[in-house]
């Protein structure tokens, strides 16, 4: 389900429409719009709360955008702009025939049924999304519900990382060798951080026996990464308990062509 739904969510970050909608509101940069619109369902919380909920950004990164991004733009406006832009991207990529098809409507209905059925306890970002109204337009509803499930999965992933004593920057470092990126410090999500900070993270992972002197996984590191991924998958399953086996099969079938179209376009 992650592989089927993630390309729907990625239009928010990769396609132009969402950024254009947020820029039209007055957000000065991509990251102003990102932090403001993604955190907006939580309300006007301080940067420390956004940093904690997002988890994988370096210290101080949230504070460069929150709360300044909300000073003249209400959080509700940023949420609405993100939804408008994302839905417009999905519709453009799919084309009107697929976007208006009964299959997409059914996929939106089933995704929404799953996305609105899981417990919210311990799921801060998911609970924030659940508090928003579900759009009536099927394309917007599909994006909205897929994004709810993405945040649900993300909340579970954060819980697993905390339990494994893996910090946000450390999580990126452990993801790099899994993607074949070497040295891990060159990973695009962290390469801009101060060298001293990255060196300290690498030293900490070496002391724990998770990476070797050259920055590659040790057996313990590989096992830790695998354990995190498996448990993340397990914690992401509850929303789909709301669907019968037949409904889940139907959802997979309906999403396959939608996702294939988005993947072919790079969600752009």
């Amino acid at each position: 389900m992650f592989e089927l739904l993630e390309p729907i969510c990625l239009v928010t970050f990769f396609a132009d429409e969402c950024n254009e909608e947020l820029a039209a509101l007055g957000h000065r940069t991509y990251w102003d719009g990102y932090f403001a619109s993604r955190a907006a369902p939580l309300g006007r919380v301080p940067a420390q709360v956004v940093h904690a909920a997002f988890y994988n950004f370096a210290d101080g990164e949230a504070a460069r955008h929150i709360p300044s991004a909300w000073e003249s733009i209400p959080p509700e406006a940023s949420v609405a702009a993100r939804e408008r832009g994302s839905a417009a991207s999905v519709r453009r990529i799919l084309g009107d025939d697929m976007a208006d098809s009964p299959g997409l409507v059914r996929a939106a209905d089933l995704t929404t049924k799953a996305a609105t059925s899981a417990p919210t306890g311990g799921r801060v970002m998911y609970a924030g999304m659940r508090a928003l109204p579900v759009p009536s337009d099927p394309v917007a509803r599909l994006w909205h519900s897929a994004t709810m499930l993405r945040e649900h999965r993300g909340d579970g992933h954060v819980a697993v990382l905390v339990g494994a004593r893996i910090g946000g920057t450390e999580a990126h470092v452990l993801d790099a060798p899994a993607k074949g990126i070497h040295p891990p410090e060159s990973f695009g999500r962290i390469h801009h951080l101060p060298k001293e900070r990255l060196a300290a993270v690498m030293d900490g992972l070496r002391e724990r026996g998770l990476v070797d002197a050259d920055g590659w996984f040790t057996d313990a590191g590989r096992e830790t990464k695998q354990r995190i991924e498996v448990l993340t998958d397990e914690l992401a399953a509850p929303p789909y308990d709301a669907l019968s086996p037949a409904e889940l099969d139907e959802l997979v079938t309906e999403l396959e062509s939608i996702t294939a179209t988005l993947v072919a376009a790079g969600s752009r």
Side-chain angles (χ1 to χ4, degrees), residues 14-246:
F14 293 169
D16 292 333
E17 286 88 342
C18 183
N19 194 45
E20 289 169 354
E21 288 277 359
L22 291 167
L25 285 181
H27 290 300
R28 299 163 301 172
T29 68
Y30 171 89
W31 288 111
D32 275 350
Y34 172 89
F35 276 92
S37 62
R38 187 178 170 212
L42 303 179
R44 292 179 181 271
V45 296
Q48 296 94 321
V49 175
V50 175
H51 175 75
F54 285 16
Y55 194 71
N56 62 354
F57 285 89
D59 291 343
E61 288 191 334
R64 286 202 288 271
H65 309 280
I66 301 296
S68 62
W70 293 334
E71 286 176 354
S72 59
I73 304 167
E76 297 81 4
S78 294
V79 167
R82 183 173 75 146
E83 179 187 302
R84 283 195 307 273
S86 300
S89 296
V90 173
R91 174 171 286 278
R92 170 181 55 79
I93 294 168
L94 297 183
D96 288 342
D97 286 348
M98 184 176 289
D100 294 329
S101 68
L104 184 135
V105 174
R106 184 60 173 159
D109 290 344
L110 291 172
T111 303
T112 301
K113 183 177 179 180
T116 56
S117 299
T120 57
R123 310 269 185 170
V124 174
M125 293 301 299
Y126 171 63
M129 285 289 296
R130 278 281 297 274
L132 300 177
V134 177
S136 57
D137 172 71
V139 173
R141 187 163 71 250
L142 178 62
W143 170 84
H144 178 89
S145 297
T147 300
M148 269 198 281
L149 290 166
R150 188 178 199 262
E151 295 290 20
H152 178 277
R153 180 185 179 89
D155 286 332
H157 188 55
V158 168
V160 175
L161 290 171
V162 171
R165 296 184 298 120
I166 300 295
T169 302
E170 292 172 321
H172 288 311
V173 170
L174 291 182
D175 203 30
K179 297 179 183 295
I181 297 171
H182 192 267
E185 303 95 313
S186 67
F187 189 19
R189 292 295 302 273
I190 58 173
H191 76 278
H192 62 287
L193 299 180
K195 291 182 179 179
E196 296 81 4
R197 167 64 178 150
L198 291 175
V201 169
M202 294 301 297
D203 287 344
L205 292 173
R206 289 189 184 101
E207 289 173 7
R208 294 175 60 183
L210 300 180
V211 297
D212 62 21
D214 295 322
W216 293 106
F217 274 140
T218 61
D219 289 343
R222 192 174 295 105
E223 289 169 3
T224 297
K225 178 74 163 68
Q226 180 63 18
R227 196 162 56 245
I228 288 169
E229 297 300 334
V230 169
L231 187 49
T232 296
D233 283 343
E234 291 176 2
L235 293 179
Y240 305 102
D241 292 340
L243 303 180
S244 69

